[in-house]
Amino acid sequence: MGFSEDNLKGFVLALSSSAFIGASFIIKKKGLRRAAAASGVRAGVGGFSYLLEPLWWLGMITMIVGEVANFVAYAFAPAVLVTPLGALSIIVSAVLAHFILNEKLHQLGILGCVMCIAGSIIIVIHAPQERPITSVLEIWSMAIQPAFLLYVGSVVVLVFIMIVHFAPQCGHSNVLVFTGICSFMGSLSVMSVKAVGTALKLTFEGNNQLLYPETWFFVLIVATCVITQMNYLNKALDTFNTAVVSPIYYVMFTSLTILASVIMFKDWDGQNVGSIISEICGFIVVLSGTILLHTTRDFERSSSFRGSYASLSPTLSARLCNGNGEFMKHEENLLPDEAICFQRQEMH
C-alpha cells in the first residue's frame, strides 16, 4: 500500500512528538527531584510541591509541545501508524537519561534502540491509509458501536478498581498499577484526540464541526483522560526509575491504543493479511527492542545499596515485583537513611 501525503505528514509530526516527549520525561524527573528536596514531600506519596518548580513546568511545556504535535498527527494518519512511533521517545529518554540522570546504557541497550527504529520503519511502510471522514458524526457512530462501548465499559471498570483498590495498597511497590491507569485512560484519550483533531481539521477546511455537541463531548473526554494520566504519570515517575516507567508505559499504552483503534476505526479493514502481519511483526520488534533497552540498563548504585541488594537479578520480572520501586529510587534519589524512611512510609 502506497505511503500517502497525509501519512507522511502524520509520520513527521509523530517523529517530532517523540523527540519532545522523550526529553520531557527527563526534565520533569529533574523537576520532581528538586521539588522533593526542597519540600521533603514526594509526588509519589501525595505531594504537589512540584507545581512550584520551574523545571517541572519546563518539562510540562516540552511535553505539551510534543502532545500537540502528536494530536495533529492523529488528524492525518491512523493510530496504528502514529502510536507505535512513540517508541522513539523511549530512545530519546534513554539517551538523555544516560547523560543527565546517570542511568547508564549498555551496548545491548543500543541494540534495543536499533530494533525500535527498525520495527518503526516496518510499521510505517505497511501502515494503512487514513479513512476519509467528512463529519464528526461519522466518528460518533463509530464510538457508539457495541464492540467499542464494551471496550470503554471494561476500561472504566478496570481503572476504577485500580484507583480505589490497588493504588493505595500496592501502587508504590508495583509499577504496573500507576502505568496501567495511565495506559487504559490513554487509549481512550487517543480515540477522543483523533476525533477532536479530525473535527478541527474539517473546520479549518471550511466544514464547521464545532456546531455539533459530539465534538465538545470528545473534548470533555480528552480533558478528563489527560488530567488523570498526568496525575498518575507523575506518581509513577516519582516512585520508580525512568528506565522502568518509560518502556512499560509505552508497551501498555501502545498495545491498548492499537486495540482501541482497530475496534473503533476499523484500521485493518481493507488491508491484506500480509500487511497486517507485517505491522504486527514490526510492533513485536519494537516491543522487543523496548524490553531489551529496559532490561540492559545499568543502574549505578551506592556502595551500601549494592551490598544490600547484590543478590537481586536486574530482570524485568524482578523489577515488577514487590519492592521494585524502592530499590530503583534509592540508586538515583535517596541517601541510605532517606531510603529506609521512605520504605517505612510505604509499609504503612
Side-chain angles (χ1 to χ4, degrees), residues 27-189:
I27 299 173
K28 287 174 67 179
K29 183 76 172 184
K30 295 286 288 186
L32 288 169
R33 285 185 182 181
R34 286 189 182 182
S39 67
V41 181
R42 303 170 61 88
V45 292
F48 292 95
S49 59
Y50 59 84
L51 295 175
L52 302 177
E53 173 56 50
L55 190 60
W56 183 86
W57 282 107
L58 176 61
M60 277 301 300
I61 293 172
T62 305
M63 176 169 280
I64 290 171
V65 172
E67 293 294 351
V68 169
N70 201 47
F71 176 90
V72 179
Y74 281 112
F76 289 98
V80 173
L81 168 61
V82 176
T83 305
L85 292 178
L88 301 180
S89 68
I90 304 298
I91 297 176
V92 174
S93 178
V95 172
L96 292 180
H98 176 84
F99 293 105
I100 298 176
L101 300 181
N102 294 321
E103 297 175 6
K104 300 304 179 181
L105 185 63
H106 281 262
Q107 292 182 348
L108 286 177
I110 299 175
L111 175 60
C113 293
V114 173
M115 291 176 65
C116 289
I117 295 173
S120 297
I121 292 174
I122 295 173
I123 292 172
V124 168
I125 293 175
H126 297 279
Q129 303 294 346
E130 177 73 336
R131 292 180 57 186
I133 298 176
T134 58
S135 172
V136 72
L137 296 179
E138 291 183 34
I139 302 179
W140 178 256
S141 65
M142 299 175 189
I144 61 175
Q145 58 184 313
F148 189 69
L149 289 178
L150 177 62
Y151 176 80
V152 172
S154 301
V155 166
V156 171
V157 171
L158 287 172
V159 168
F160 179 79
I161 293 174
M162 284 191 288
I163 291 177
V164 174
H165 179 71
F166 289 104
Q169 292 193 4
C170 56
H172 298 287
S173 60
N174 192 323
V175 68
L176 295 179
V177 177
F178 290 153
T179 54
I181 294 171
C182 293
S183 300
F184 278 113
M185 295 302 288
S187 67
L188 297 183
S189 69

Side-chain angles (χ1 to χ4, degrees), residues 8-26:
L8 179 59
K9 293 178 181 177
F11 170 68
V12 173
L13 287 166
L15 286 182
S16 302
S17 171
S18 294
F20 282 105
I21 292 176
S24 74
F25 272 100
I26 307 305

Side-chain angles (χ1 to χ4, degrees), residues 210-226:
L210 303 181
L211 301 176
Y212 297 109
E214 289 82 358
T215 299
W216 298 106
F217 178 80
F218 283 125
V219 170
L220 177 63
I221 298 300
V222 170
T224 302
C225 292
V226 168

